[in-house]
């Protein structure tokens, strides 16, 4: 099965592991991530204001490219996912889509207008809804038995839930089910859907540090030995806040359990 | 006063928020992770927009303290979406001439070698027009 | 040709403010058949009615049109007026120029124009009206009350007190409802059981009342005065008339780990159980889903220990059919699920509970014997946070919770807070509120006592998140008066969950053809003037199935519903509605479409002999309407493909004449 893939800029630079593991594991799990051509940065943040058109064009182009191949679009980074999914929903509104398509009509390769037809999945959602965690479990070579892993959702995967439709925004289960499928024990702690401080870290390091410290302390307090995330910025903030627990990407965990790393090394 | 009226209309139009839905329960401010850093709190954004006090909000540092984490939007029992108001006011503020919060020449001092690109592009989107 | 009189009402300024009433009566003078037309300030007043009566006599009127308010308001009034003047009641037509005209228009020109058109339509219809005579039907002098909570109990007792037999159908093994689960009742703090259980005993001992517990209504046919109801009596595997309620079986049953519904799952019961000590009927019930004997034939302990020999493993569900003259819905409420509000961590911590669970935790017959202990560790909580309005007053666009105020939470939370401070003065109690709503006799005084005498901390604000950390509950909330964000380390968090109608209400409403609002509360016939009647004749409403209510209001409404039932059952015969369907047998082709669409089962078919023009006879299948059963809904007239079916008083040609008049 071939799916369109939008890696995003961070996965090309600071979060290469997140990207590499995602691709390798996909192969093991029987689907191929086909990177769309000439993708542009999503902008990192969705702007909810109704008069922001230009900032959404890069997402729409990616969605359109996937749609033209009649494939779903998969993202891995939480931020890209948030931006692209919310943009896709906005494109289902006629008035907004009309404005965006009017812009896009000036592209040299413009053919047909886009109206939010492409299906957008986060990699985790795709595993849950299309591959099935039972199938993932069957492919596990090195079960992560005995590990106590805290799933960190942050905000971008879950909120706003009406647009993201990803999981229960207050009591999510997808990452916990994922952790269980890999043979480890999920640790449920209340700060798992609280914000890490996000981009504010750029100008207010202390603010971000306070928020991230709350998260890692809550995870530790509930007995976790590591934290798993899908977001490079969450990971960065947690690490910089002095988290005593290691913070890993979910695809790294998946690669470890599926034995993808060994395959490469050996 | 007339200016504030126009500002209020702009905020309501680009945020798409209906401030009249607010029942003044304060759940947004009970939820907000940046409450302590804000001069005006989420529930005050709603009531101040309703009363047309936009200029004060635009001048306040509070608009840069919001993390856009959407917890207030998610938990509001009335569907008011205070976070979208903060965003609209910040946008109106930075769209003014020479009002960019962040300029490219400051980047190098703010960066460290581990910081993901995501932080930078997001901040640019939030802080500059 | 009819001789028609037209009477245009000003309704003070209600109509005359937006409609030029003189112009309307003048314009309608020229309509076919109209021989007299006038207008008057209040047509419904005695003087107004006299104008109508005199005109009927003086001008020999054969039909009248009253241009006034909605027929729901005064059609009956003007029909009586006409009858008093010797005119058949069904020769009266109402043109609604108030609700459908003057109230919705602002401009006099538009309003007047529309009023004239509506008047013309009514005149066109009266021209084709024919006198009708209502039939009579007998009344079955027995009432059915569906639901055995305090609402159903009070209604049944009051009906029985007037001498009429009543049956109560209750889905649970015992009557008592939610009130039986409460500890104390506001604002007087008398114990709920102490005031409820004597009423339950009265019900049990009243020879006019039968209780069908562990039962449900599965089918309702018929109409006011003559309902045919099927009741499913679920097998309880214990002979009700043999069981003495000794409880020996409930102590010996080896299945011990079944969550006890009565204590909201906070302790366990056996597979054979009596919900609580004062249950009525006081008989055991076997829970089919958990009994080993019933599931795989391995056990039989209860049968061995039962001295009375009441256990019957072979019992089957039974269906019984009964006739009733009146039906009362008293299906009650439940707290909503907290699934969509997990920011309060209800699913994540045992120490986050609902207010109903709090009632059980403080009740002497509850899981802790009445000691207020944390469900997680059995410790006494030192700091308790109450959160009001959880799931109430939500906007629909938030896609969770209910839009209405649940009404009872402010008072029961004040009660919980006060009682906690009274019994455990070392406990800090916080109540987060949006508004404190206490309109009721001695209600606000009660809330003020909680604050002033008992030192409960009332904080205007809302809890944003509850985080279970280190055996405590970190409560993050806003204090809007002090403009602060608070963090309170609590031991127990109590959520005032919104209430919603019981799930059985919706299917019941369908069976009764009773209307409901978007929240599944039963709709009353008139929100102010007929608050305990459903718009469906013979169906009455008692308690929270009609809207959120506290106990005093529920009891008052239960009594009111009973008095309406008594008024109905006191009649020997009911005047029917003559506007019923009628089939023209010469046009009927016997296709059965009408029979299939009739919601009342009023249409049957018969084989009938027809003489043909050539003097031969032919037997054809034709529809026959049982006029006593037909409610005049008109489904059949629309469905009939051959045009044979017509509704008396609303014939197709009458409706078309109205449409023609409007389009003219």
């Amino acid at each position: 099965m071939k799916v369109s893939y939008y890696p995003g800029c961070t996965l090309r630079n600071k979060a290469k592991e997140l990207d590499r593991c995602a691709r390798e594991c996909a192969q093991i799990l029987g689907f191929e991530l086909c990177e769309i051509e000439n993708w542009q940065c999503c902008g990192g943040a969705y702007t909810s204001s109704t008069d922001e058109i230009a900032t959404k064009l890069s997402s729409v182009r990616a969605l359109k490219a996937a749609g033209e191949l009649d494939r779903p679009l998969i993202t891995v980074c939480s931020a890209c996912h948030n931006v692209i999914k919310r943009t896709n929903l906005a494109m289902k509104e006629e008035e907004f889509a009309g404005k965006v398509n009017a812009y896009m009509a000036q592209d040299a390769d413009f053919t047909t207008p886009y109206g939010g037809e492409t299906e957008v999945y986060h990699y985790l959602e795709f595993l849950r809804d299309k591959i099935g965690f039972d199938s993932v479990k069957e492919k596990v070579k090195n079960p992560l038995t005995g590990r106590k892993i805290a799933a960190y959702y942050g905000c971008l995967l879950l909120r706003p839930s009406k647009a993201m439709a990803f999981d229960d925004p207050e009591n999510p289960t997808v990452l916990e089910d994922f952790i269980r499928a890999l043979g480890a024990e999920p640790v449920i702690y209340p700060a798992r859907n609280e914000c890490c401080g996000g981009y504010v870290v750029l100008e207010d390091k202390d603010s971000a540090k306070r928020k991230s410290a709350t998260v890692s302390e809550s995870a530790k307090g509930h007995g976790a030995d590591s934290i798993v995330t899908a977001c490079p910025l969450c990971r960065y903030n947690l690490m910089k806040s002095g988290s005593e627990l290691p913070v890993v990407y979910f695809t790294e965990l998946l690669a470890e359990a599926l034995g993808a790393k060994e395959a490469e090394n050996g | 006063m007339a200016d504030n009226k126009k500002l209020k209309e702009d905020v309501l139009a680009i945020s798409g928020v209906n401030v009249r839905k607010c029942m003044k329960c304060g759940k947004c401010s009970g939820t907000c992770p940046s409450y302590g850093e804000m001069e005006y709190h989420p529930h005050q954004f709603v009531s101040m927009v309703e009363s047309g006090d936009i200029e004060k909000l635009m001048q306040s540092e509070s608009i840069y303290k919001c993390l856009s984490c959407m917890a207030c939007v998610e938990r509001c029992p009335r569907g008011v979406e205070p976070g979208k108001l903060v965003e609209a006011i910040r946008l109106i503020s930075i769209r003014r001439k020479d009002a960019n919060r962040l300029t490219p020449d400051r980047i190098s001092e703010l960066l460290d070698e581990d910081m993901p690109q995501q932080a930078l592009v997001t901040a640019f989107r939030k802080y500059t027009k | 040709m009819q001789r028609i009189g037209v009477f245009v009402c000003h309704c003070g300024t209600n109509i005359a403010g937006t409609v030029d009433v003189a112009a309307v009566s003048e314009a309608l003078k020229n309509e076919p058949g109209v021989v007299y037309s006038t207008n008057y300030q209040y047509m419904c007043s005695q003087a107004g009615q006299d104008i109508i009566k005199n005109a009927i006599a003086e001008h020999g009127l054969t039909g009248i049109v009253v241009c006034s308010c909605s027929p729901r308001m005064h059609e009956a009034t003007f029909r009586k007026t006409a009858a008093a003047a010797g005119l058949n009641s069904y020769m009266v037509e109402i043109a609604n120029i108030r609700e459908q005209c003057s109230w919705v228009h602002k401009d006099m020109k538009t309003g007047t124009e529309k009023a004239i058109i509506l008047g013309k339509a009514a005149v066109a219809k009266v021209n084709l009206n024919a006198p009708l005579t209502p039939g009579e039907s007998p009344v079955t002098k027995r009432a059915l009350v569906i639901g055995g909570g305090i609402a159903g109990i009070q209604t049944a007792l009051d009906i029985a007190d007037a001498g009429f037999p009543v049956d109560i159908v209750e889905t649970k093994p015992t009557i008592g409802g939610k009130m039986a689960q409460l500890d104390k009742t506001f604002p007087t703090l008398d114990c709920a059981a102490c005031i409820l259980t004597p009423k339950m005993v009265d019900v049990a001992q009243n020879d006019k009342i039968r209780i069908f517990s562990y039962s449900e209504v599965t089918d309702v046919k018929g109409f006011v005065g003559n309902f045919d109801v099927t009741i499913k009596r679920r097998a309880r595997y214990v002979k009700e008339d043999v069981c003495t309620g000794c409880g020996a079986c409930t102590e010996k049953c080896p299945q011990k780990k079944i969550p006890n519904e009565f204590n909201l799952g906070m302790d366990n019961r056996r597979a054979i159980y009596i919900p609580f000590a004062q249950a009525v009927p006081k008989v055991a019930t076997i829970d089919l889903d958990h009994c080993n004997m019933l599931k795989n034939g391995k056990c039989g302990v209860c049968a061995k220990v039962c001295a009375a020999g009441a256990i019957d493993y072979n019992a089957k569900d039974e269906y019984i059919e009964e006739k009733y003259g009146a039906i009362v819905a008293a299906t009650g409420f439940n707290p909503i699920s907290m699934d969509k509000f997990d920011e309060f961590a209800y699913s994540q911590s045992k120490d986050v509970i609902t207010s109903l669970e709090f009632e059980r935790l403080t009740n002497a017959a509850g899981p802790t014997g009445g000691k207020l202990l944390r469900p997680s560790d059995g410790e006494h909580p030192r700091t308790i946070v109450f959160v009001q309005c959880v799931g109430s007053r939500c906007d629909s666009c938030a896609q969770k919770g209910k839009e209405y105020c649940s009404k009872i939470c402010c008072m029961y939370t004040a009660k919980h807070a006060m009682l906690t401070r009274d019994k455990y003065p070392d406990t800090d109690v916080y109540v987060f509120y949006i508004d404190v709503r206490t309109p009721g006799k001695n209600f606000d005084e009660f809330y003020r006592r909680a604050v002033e005498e008992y030192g409960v901390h009332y904080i205007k604000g809302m809890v944003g998140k509850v985080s279970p950390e280190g055996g405590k509950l970190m409560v993050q909330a806003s204090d809007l008066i002090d403009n602060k964000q608070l963090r309170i380390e609590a031991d127990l968090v109590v959520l005032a969950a919104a209430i919603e109608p019981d799930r059985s209400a919706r299917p019941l409403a369908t069976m009764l053809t009773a209307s409901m609002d978007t929240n599944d509360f039963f709709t009353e016939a008139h929100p102010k003037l007929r608050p305990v009647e459903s718009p469906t004749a013979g169906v009455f409403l008692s308690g929270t199935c009609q809207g959120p209510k506290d106990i005093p209001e529920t009891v008052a409404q239960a009594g009111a519903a009973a008095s309406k039932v008594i008024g109905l059952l006191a009649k020997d015969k009911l005047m029917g509605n003559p506007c019923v369907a009628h089939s023209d047998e010469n046009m009927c082709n016997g296709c059965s479409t009408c029979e299939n669409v009739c919601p009342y089962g009023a249409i049957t078919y018969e084989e009938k002999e027809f003489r043909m023009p050539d003097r031969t006879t032919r037997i054809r299948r034709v529809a026959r309407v049982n006029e006593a059963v037909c409610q005049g809904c008109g489904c059949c007239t629309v469905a009939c493909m051959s045009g044979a079916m017509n509704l008396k008083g609303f014939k197709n040609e009458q409706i078309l004449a109205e449409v023609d008049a409007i389009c003219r």
Side-chain angles (χ1 to χ4, degrees), chain C residues 274-501:
Chain C
I274 298 173
F276 56 97
Q278 304 97 322
V280 170
K282 181 97 187 264
V283 291
T285 303
I286 299 181
D287 171 354
L288 172 63
D289 296 334
H290 294 98
C291 170
N292 269 345
M293 188 67 187
L294 292 173
K295 279 196 300 185
N296 49 35
K298 290 181 185 140
C299 186
V301 169
C302 50
K304 284 188 199 110
V305 300
C306 181
I311 309 294
D312 175 11
Y313 297 122
N314 298 317
K316 296 268 177 300
D317 293 347
E318 281 175 41
Y319 289 83
I320 56 172
E321 285 180 19
E322 289 286 343
K323 284 189 174 296
Y324 298 100
I327 298 178
V328 182
T331 43
F333 75 96
N334 282 301
I336 64 166
S337 154
M338 291 287 94
D339 284 354
K340 286 192 171 170
F341 299 91
D342 223 36
E343 61 268 35
F344 302 120
Y346 181 80
S347 79
Q348 298 160 43
S349 169
K350 281 184 166 180
D351 297 330
V352 180
I353 61 175
T354 65
S355 299
L356 193 56
E357 287 164 355
F358 187 88
E359 292 282 350
R360 298 311 302 152
L361 273 191
T362 50
N363 187 284
T368 55
K371 288 199 194 80
L372 180 54
L373 302 173
R374 277 162 49 109
S376 64
D377 57 8
E379 290 294 316
H380 167 56
R382 301 283 163 189
T383 303
I384 304 179
V385 169
F386 288 89
V387 188
Q388 297 263 50
C389 297
V390 179
S392 295
R393 308 171 65 189
C394 293
D395 190 81
S396 56
C397 70
Q399 294 179 356
K400 54 185 176 183
K402 303 290 176 184
E403 288 191 68
Y404 49 85
C405 165
S406 293
K407 198 173 186 180
I408 55 176
C409 328
C410 283
M411 281 301 286
Y412 70 59
T413 299
K415 174 190 78 175
H416 291 161
M418 183 192 285
L419 289 173
T420 304
R421 290 282 298 159
D422 184 48
K423 210 166 172 186
Y424 309 99
D426 61 338
T427 305
D428 270 332
V429 175
Y430 296 87
V431 176
F432 284 90
Y433 70 93
I434 305 172
D435 301 289
V436 178
R437 295 178 166 178
T438 49
K441 192 172 174 182
N442 295 322
F443 281 15
D444 205 63
E445 297 91 319
F446 182 85
Y447 147 61
R448 290 312 309 168
R449 257 170 68 210
V451 178
E452 293 168 26
E453 284 178 38
Y454 290 90
V456 176
H457 308 300
Y458 265 79
I459 299 171
K460 160 78 187 160
M462 188 66 180
V463 172
K465 175 139 176 159
V466 176
S467 305
E469 297 280 2
K472 295 273 187 181
L473 298 165
M474 287 305 306
V475 176
Q476 183 182 309
S478 60
D479 177 339
L480 294 181
I481 304 290
D482 285 351
N483 206 7
K484 281 193 302 199
Q485 191 178 63
L486 304 176
R487 291 180 73 82
I488 298 171
E489 207 172 83
D491 300 304
L492 190 68
V493 169
V494 186
L495 307 177
I499 62 173
E500 64 183 355

Side-chain angles (χ1 to χ4, degrees), chain A residues 14 51 161 210-211 236, chain B residues 37 74-75 95 112-113:
Chain A
K14 301 292 182 194
D51 62 346
S161 63
R210 279 194 294 276
K211 270 109 197 155
Y236 170 83
Chain B
E37 285 122 27
E74 192 65 52
R75 291 178 193 153
R95 281 172 187 174
D112 65 48
E113 66 177 61

Side-chain angles (χ1 to χ4, degrees), chain C residues 196-214:
Chain C
L196 175 69
T197 52
K199 280 189 185 288
M200 291 165 63
V201 173
D202 285 351
V203 169
Q205 292 176 346
N206 194 314
D207 59 5
K208 295 275 183 205
I209 303 178
R210 289 189 297 180
I211 302 170
F212 297 125
S213 62
Y214 215 50

Side-chain angles (χ1 to χ4, degrees), chain C residues 173-188:
Chain C
T174 172
I175 60 168
K178 289 287 176 299
M179 189 173 168
Q181 290 176 289
L182 306 184
D183 183 44
K184 303 274 195 298
T185 54
F186 60 76
T188 45

